[in-house]
Amino acid sequence: MDDDLKSIAAARRTAETAFTAYQKFLGTDPAHVDAIVDSMARAIEPVAKELAALAVEETGYGNVPDKRLKNLFNALSVADFLRDVTTLGMLWRDDATKVAAFGEPMGVVAALIPVTNPTSTIIFKVLSAVKAGNAIVCAPHPRGIKCGMATIKVMADAAEQMGAPKGLIQCLDQVTIAGTAELMSHRRTSVVMATGGPAMVKAAYSSGKPTLAVGAGNVPCYVHKSKGGEIGEVAEMIVTSKCFDYGTACVSEQAVIADPEIARELRQEMKMRGAYFCTLAESDRLSKVIFMGKQAMNAERVGQSPQALADAAGFSIPPKTRCLVSEETEIGWHRPLSAEKLNPVLAFYEVRDSQHGIEMSINIAKFEGWGHSACLHSNDPEIVAQFAAVPTGRVLVNTPAILGGMGYSTDLEPSFMLGTGTWSGSITSDNVTALHLINIKRVAYENRPWRDIYEEYGE
């Protein structure tokens, strides 16, 4: 049997068994569901580093310490958030209007998992799906099957020990494009959660099933002159956020836009924190290493260390370099480093004034990142108000983009699935949570005499 047939067979088998488990799980007391979710989260904590190491070993992307933190964020912060959220049973009631809302599960969730975050995304999607009363089948990237299966086993074992039906939480052990397509379109699949590249997102929306999918992020980070006394801290936030897991998160900063009054100091502070500013020739060589052509990121260079990228581009950097920076003046595919880069590489723009900085931020967001996230460092409320015009679902102020966007350093919903809205063809611009995985049924009593319509609108 060829790989496609094996994957299609796996998709059909898991979808059917997941549906059977979902039917058994249907009607489970919400308190018991919460206990299962908590048990799965606790089971991840002691193996978070082990799963991170498996992910790095199998995919070749990122680094173990940061992937461990991603695993723990999704196991602990997401679980803490879900504990206070009502997803099943009565959500709310309004006695005045005589309307009440009830949450009901959707069914079987087909979850597409990106190679950049193969374990942490599974943790997030499994906790969210089960909290909403659903079954879930994960379809990992072919380079992330082993670590994906290991993560699923930990969570499924914990759930089953708490009384969840076997088969409620599964992972494809044979993965091809054909098999993933079969899972998404299968008659037992109710909804698709897709995280990945543009091709994956397009395929998900073409599956014929309701789909939550997220797009690329080309995150502008504008540093306003009002932060003049805090440039060291701003530099630390930018460099730390961009370097996190070697830049594999699409919500991390992609381009720094600096006012002329603070640009020189910002460059110096970034250098002191491990940023290496490339020469023009080095930037050109680096762009040829990261990209294979227009809209074609080199998959082998994703999530690589600065040293590995510099070696591949043929130039040397200091040993403690944390990220590479390319000075840019233009935006577009004639300057590839102005696009999204899933590695520790930043573009850097010095603008004329605040108006130019906001315009530049808008144009960067529109180029290969429309709808995702934008970041601003400013102490001027008027600038914050103007910057909010950037066409993104999240505008993050005075915080590292990755930690703010995923809901750790802000009060956004903790999530590893950040909607990009209709700007980029997504159904939602929210931080996706378990609340996106339920159907809401409304029970409404008559609240005014029905015959009144004839008096109100009659001739």
Side-chain angles (χ1 to χ4, degrees):
M1 188 183 295
D2 68 20
D3 290 341
D4 279 344
L5 291 178
K6 290 179 182 177
S7 186
I8 290 170
R12 291 172 177 170
R13 180 179 65 254
T14 54
E16 290 289 352
T17 55
F19 182 73
T20 299
Y22 159 69
Q23 289 182 306
K24 293 178 181 177
F25 196 51
L26 197 60
T28 299
D29 184 82
H32 189 193
V33 173
D34 287 345
I36 292 170
V37 170
D38 281 344
S39 179
M40 290 191 293
R42 289 196 305 270
I44 288 294
E45 189 173 2
V47 296
K49 184 176 181 179
E50 177 186 337
L51 295 175
L54 285 173
V56 172
E57 179 183 1
E58 184 176 7
T59 67
Y61 292 169
N63 61 77
V64 173
D66 290 341
K67 286 199 182 297
R68 172 184 169 272
L69 288 177
K70 287 181 178 181
N71 290 342
L72 289 174
F73 168 79
N74 283 286
L76 303 181
S77 293
V78 170
D80 285 345
F81 166 77
L82 292 176
R83 198 171 292 117
D84 296 326
V85 172
T86 300
T87 54
L88 301 171
M90 183 180 288
L91 306 180
W92 53 263
R93 59 181 286 176
D94 188 327
D95 292 334
T97 60
K98 297 184 181 179
V99 176
F102 296 82
E104 297 192 355
M106 288 184 170
V108 176
V109 178
L112 279 58
I113 309 300
V115 67
T116 47
N117 301 295
T119 56
S120 52
T121 305
I122 284 178
I123 296 166
F124 166 72
K125 292 187 177 181
V126 168
L127 292 178
S128 299
V130 174
K131 170 70 178 186
N134 300 301
I136 182 169
V137 179
C138 293
H141 187 278
R143 282 174 60 168
I145 294 176
K146 292 179 182 178
C147 61
M149 292 288 292
T151 306
I152 287 291
K153 186 178 189 314
V154 171
M155 302 187 80
D157 285 351
E160 289 167 23
Q161 287 173 11
M162 290 294 295
K166 188 175 181 61
L168 192 73
I169 302 156
Q170 298 184 69
C171 184
L172 295 185
D173 57 3
Q174 298 279 341
V175 183
T176 66
I177 293 174
T180 301
E182 176 68 19
L183 176 65
M184 291 191 292
S185 62
H186 195 277
R187 68 189 183 109
R188 297 303 192 190
T189 296
S190 300
V191 62
V192 177
M193 296 180 79
T195 307
M200 175 187 283
V201 171
K202 184 177 180 181
Y205 275 119
S206 301
S207 68
K209 294 299 175 80
T211 297
L212 293 162
V214 298
N218 194 21
V219 180
C221 176
Y222 173 40
V223 185
H224 184 249
K225 62 184 179 182
S226 61
K227 298 297 286 188
E230 308 164 60
I231 294 300
E233 175 66 5
V234 171
E236 180 65 28
M237 285 192 274
I238 293 170
V239 173
T240 299
S241 182
K242 182 57 183 173
C243 299
F244 193 82
D245 201 27
Y246 293 155
T248 52
C250 55
V251 70
S252 64
E253 293 83 348
Q254 298 292 337
V256 177
I257 301 100
D259 275 347
E261 294 86 349
I262 50 86
R264 181 177 179 180
E265 183 183 0
L266 181 57
R267 286 188 190 91
Q268 185 59 33
E269 293 289 348
M270 289 176 65
K271 289 176 182 177
M272 291 173 61
R273 287 159 177 78
Y276 175 81
F277 281 71
C278 301
T279 66
L280 180 60
E282 289 169 344
S283 292
D284 288 343
R285 292 206 294 272
L286 185 62
S287 69
K288 291 181 174 63
V289 163
I290 293 175
F291 294 96
M292 303 173 69
K294 183 179 179 181
Q295 295 180 305
M297 202 178 299
N298 185 347
E300 297 305 314
R301 303 303 177 193
V302 168
Q304 302 301 297
S305 69
Q307 289 74 19
L309 294 172
D311 288 347
F315 60 90
S316 59
I317 57 176
K320 293 186 178 181
T321 297
R322 296 170 68 194
C323 70
L324 306 175
V325 184
S326 175
E327 296 261 14
E328 300 286 341
T329 58
E330 298 179 280
I331 303 167
W333 280 112
H334 61 293
R335 297 301 303 168
L337 296 183
S338 65
E340 180 187 43
K341 305 161 288 293
L342 294 179
N343 40 47
V345 177
L346 280 165
F348 190 101
Y349 297 84
E350 181 174 342
V351 292
R352 296 186 299 272
D353 52 32
S354 298
Q355 188 62 39
H356 188 207
I358 293 171
E359 290 174 0
M360 183 72 75
S361 299
I362 291 172
N363 290 334
I364 288 170
K366 287 181 176 180
F367 176 59
E368 298 296 306
W370 207 330
H372 202 292
S373 304
C375 187
L376 169 66
H377 294 275
S378 174
N379 292 331
D380 186 336
E382 180 59 32
I383 293 298
V384 175
Q386 293 177 30
F387 188 81
V390 176
T392 57
R394 279 152 294 278
V395 174
L396 310 164
V397 183
N398 297 333
T399 191
I402 185 171
L403 297 177
M406 71 188 197
Y408 182 81
S409 60
T410 66
D411 272 335
L412 296 178
E413 298 87 347
S415 178
F416 244 47
M417 189 172 180
L418 309 185
T420 52
T422 56
W423 292 291
S424 62
S426 176
I427 192 61
T428 182
S429 57
D430 295 343
N431 280 20
V432 175
T433 72
L435 290 171
H436 293 83
L437 297 174
I438 57 172
N439 290 310
I440 299 178
K441 177 187 292 183
R442 288 165 176 80
V443 176
Y445 283 76
E446 182 176 85
N447 203 26
R448 65 181 63 89
W450 64 269
R451 289 184 176 85
D452 284 3
I453 191 171
Y454 297 102
E455 294 182 12
E456 187 169 354
Y457 301 119
E459 294 182 3

